[in-house]
Amino acid sequence: MFDPVIAPSGTLLGLLQRGRGDGTLHALTAPRPEALAALNHCVLRDPRHDWQVENRSLYYARLFLDLGGELDEVEAHLFCAEDVLDGDESRTGLALAVLGHLASYGRRDALELLRRYAAHGSNWAWALDELALRDDDAGLRALAAPVLARFPADPEGEAELAATVRDAFEPRPWRLWAEDPRESVAARVRAAHETGCFDRWQRQMRPSGPRPGWSVQAVFEWAQQGIERGAALHVPAARCLTAVAGPEDRAEIVRAAQDGTDGARCTALRYLADGNDPEALDLIEGAVATGSTLVVDAAVDAFERMRSLTAVDRARRWARRPDALGAAAGRVLACRGGVQDRDLVLAAVREAVRGEGPDAPTLWTLVDGTGRLGIACAAPVLRHVYRETASSHLRGRAARALAATDPSFATGFAVECLWDCEETTREIAARHAETGDARVVERLRRLAADPAEEAEVQTAVRSRIGPGGPLCDPPAPRGRGGGFAPPG
């Protein structure tokens, strides 16, 4: 899947792609056709850089409800010819997840569409998982025949079915089908379940990798073999060294960290850093200067794991280096530095934004550090990261840091964060948003009454509306299918 193209943050499409609360607020005041076009664009062309960790489905489902959106374009996307040609689940996963939330809000058309796709679509397993959480027993039982028909009644088909049952994310449909009154259905599912359990047991009985009694050199060789196969094994190899190596092996491990193979060098550096070896920091600095990209990455990662005061002192010396070790030093100070390190952390944040932009991976840790250290003068760059990043997780971290550093957060970004796509960001907003804004009061009440909202968010909301809080008890939910009317 190609990286999505993200529109500018000042546009309605760009706001919705980022999952910002302002996206919902702008969509509810924009012409309805324009808002629905932007919403469908996001649902049908997943804008997330990492769809496995970033949330959008509930955010888009709520907006569908607020706009009274039809599902014609979603249906066309699910059942187009490309569904047969492109089996990548990321093509349809977001649309299916949105349908799942709509079904939980009582949208019958979404439920029927999920059922049809589970019976006939390529990404049927995802649709089945959505239905497992929301459909009734009768609806799931009706899918047994079309789903089982996907697996031929031959050895290969039965093996594929067994693997599918074994690895199912939501087991409820398979459990229902194992008790189906139709013996042809029940017997086949039970047999697949038994085969899957036996396969799992066999894998557990045939472990691969290091065994008790291995030598230090054998562990190094295993790590190098992993690199040659395209698998980085130095982290588990370092754990193996903890069990295998004794004091008499230290000299060999230090030599490996200096000039061993890439696998041995990565493993030795990790092992020595985790053990706070007195030579670890010098060996890490040497590895960054002379090692391959793989060794440099392993050395930097090993350094960032170190918790000693010596490592923090070394980070202060390295923080101004214009290389990977300097960037890592900034992150170490963000996590474990003191108030005397504020200027170094702030400089690292500014350099990361200037050099790599608002989506730089290093910003995740650095932004947390600005909040932890209370760097008030970081607020302008944090606001920039908040507005521009395409990562909803990084935006949430920026919101948390702004809550700790920016006095205007409660009346500014905290208000829009109540509509954010990430539950952790909504939780921050629920704790900080100024209730003098009428939109905030109404939104808090609706979040408290929404059964789809996360428990942590509702706990934060109820701390504001319960006894001693500024708000009264929440009213019954309003809006179509449990959805929400436009705010304000």
Side-chain angles (χ1 to χ4, degrees):
M1 180 179 177
F2 294 103
D3 284 340
V5 176
I6 305 298
S9 62
T11 64
L12 174 59
L13 178 59
L15 290 170
L16 291 179
Q17 286 178 315
R18 289 167 171 80
R20 278 182 57 181
D22 254 6
T24 294
L25 297 175
H26 279 68
L28 294 174
T29 58
R32 183 171 177 273
E34 178 186 341
L36 285 173
L39 176 58
N40 278 310
H41 184 283
C42 294
V43 173
L44 307 186
R45 300 169 184 82
D46 194 337
R48 296 170 294 181
H49 285 282
D50 190 344
W51 61 271
Q52 293 180 308
V53 298
E54 291 190 50
N55 297 314
R56 293 291 189 281
S57 54
L58 180 59
Y59 173 83
Y60 293 143
R62 284 172 168 170
L63 188 51
F64 256 115
L65 290 172
D66 290 344
L67 296 173
E70 301 83 7
L71 301 179
D72 295 348
E73 291 193 35
V74 175
E75 181 179 7
H77 175 74
L78 293 178
F79 291 101
C80 70
E82 192 175 355
D83 191 58
V84 179
L85 302 174
D86 184 0
D88 188 343
E89 63 181 7
S90 63
R91 193 191 78 83
T92 53
L94 178 57
L96 294 171
V98 169
L99 290 177
H101 284 298
L102 289 174
S104 70
Y105 279 120
R107 284 283 295 260
R108 186 74 185 184
D109 53 347
L111 181 65
E112 295 294 342
L113 193 50
L114 276 174
R115 288 173 175 172
R116 280 181 52 209
Y117 191 81
H120 305 292
S122 293
N123 193 12
W124 61 271
W126 192 312
L128 186 62
D129 286 338
E130 297 292 339
L131 290 167
L133 299 173
R134 294 157 177 114
D135 207 353
D136 55 29
D137 287 357
L140 291 175
R141 287 195 179 100
L143 291 171
V147 168
L148 291 179
R150 296 175 179 276
F151 303 94
D154 56 28
E156 290 184 3
E158 298 299 344
E160 185 181 356
L161 175 60
T164 300
V165 174
R166 181 193 67 213
D167 300 332
F169 190 74
E170 293 291 344
R172 180 180 164 225
W174 302 101
R175 290 173 180 167
L176 278 175
W177 298 342
E179 300 169 356
D180 197 282
R182 295 165 292 184
E183 186 59 27
S184 59
V185 171
R188 197 174 180 201
V189 174
R190 284 198 298 266
H193 179 71
E194 291 171 1
T195 301
C197 291
F198 182 70
D199 289 346
R200 188 179 293 110
W201 176 79
Q202 283 187 313
R203 287 204 304 270
Q204 292 171 346
M205 295 298 291
R206 293 195 301 266
S208 60
R211 306 283 200 283
W214 272 32
S215 66
V216 168
Q217 185 57 37
V219 174
F220 287 153
E221 291 173 357
W222 179 66
Q224 183 61 26
Q225 290 167 7
I227 291 176
E228 293 167 358
R229 296 195 309 269
L233 298 176
H234 63 275
V235 174
R239 289 197 295 266
C240 292
L241 276 187
T242 303
V244 168
E248 68 279 6
D249 298 306
R250 181 181 176 277
E252 180 182 359
I253 295 172
V254 169
R255 284 196 302 272
Q258 292 171 330
D259 55 17
T261 63
D262 280 2
R265 204 170 184 186
C266 294
T267 301
L269 288 168
R270 178 72 170 231
Y271 170 81
L272 293 170
D274 285 354
N276 285 317
D277 187 279
E279 290 190 54
L281 291 166
D282 291 334
L283 290 168
I284 286 170
E285 188 172 20
V288 169
T290 64
S292 65
T293 300
L294 183 65
V295 170
V296 170
D297 290 344
V300 166
D301 185 57
F303 169 56
E304 289 190 60
R305 289 172 54 83
M306 299 183 73
R307 298 291 186 269
S308 65
L309 293 176
T310 303
V312 175
D313 287 339
R314 190 68 66 94
R316 294 183 178 115
R317 287 171 43 191
W318 288 344
R320 291 184 173 84
R321 291 176 55 132
D323 61 4
L325 194 53
R331 294 191 293 271
V332 168
L333 295 177
C335 292
R336 292 180 284 283
V339 292
Q340 70 270 32
D341 302 309
R342 287 175 174 174
D343 290 344
L344 291 174
V345 173
L346 178 59
V349 173
R350 289 171 171 167
E351 180 60 30
V353 172
R354 185 165 49 244
E356 301 179 61
D359 291 314
T362 190
L363 283 173
W364 289 49
T365 303
L366 292 175
V367 163
D368 285 348
T370 61
R372 185 182 73 84
L373 296 172
I375 307 176
C377 56
V381 71
L382 290 174
R383 294 190 203 109
H384 174 75
V385 172
Y386 178 96
R387 292 189 188 98
E388 299 300 328
T389 181
S391 167
S392 54
H393 275 272
L394 178 54
R395 181 176 64 252
R397 289 171 180 254
R400 188 178 298 278
L402 284 168
T405 59
D406 185 1
S408 69
F409 177 73
T411 55
F413 285 138
V415 176
E416 76 154 279
C417 285
L418 288 169
W419 283 266
D420 198 87
C421 67
E422 295 291 341
E423 66 268 14
T424 52
T425 307
R426 296 195 297 275
E427 180 185 355
I428 295 166
R431 298 189 184 281
H432 292 276
E434 175 55 58
T435 54
D437 189 323
R439 296 176 304 170
V440 172
V441 175
E442 183 65 13
R443 182 61 173 171
L444 288 173
R445 289 170 175 167
R446 292 180 178 180
L447 290 175
D450 185 358
E453 188 51 80
E454 295 292 333
E456 292 81 1
V457 179
Q458 293 195 326
T459 298
V461 170
R462 287 166 183 154
S463 71
R464 307 289 298 279
I465 66 177
L471 308 177
C472 61
D473 291 336
R478 295 183 297 173
R480 175 177 170 179
F484 310 103

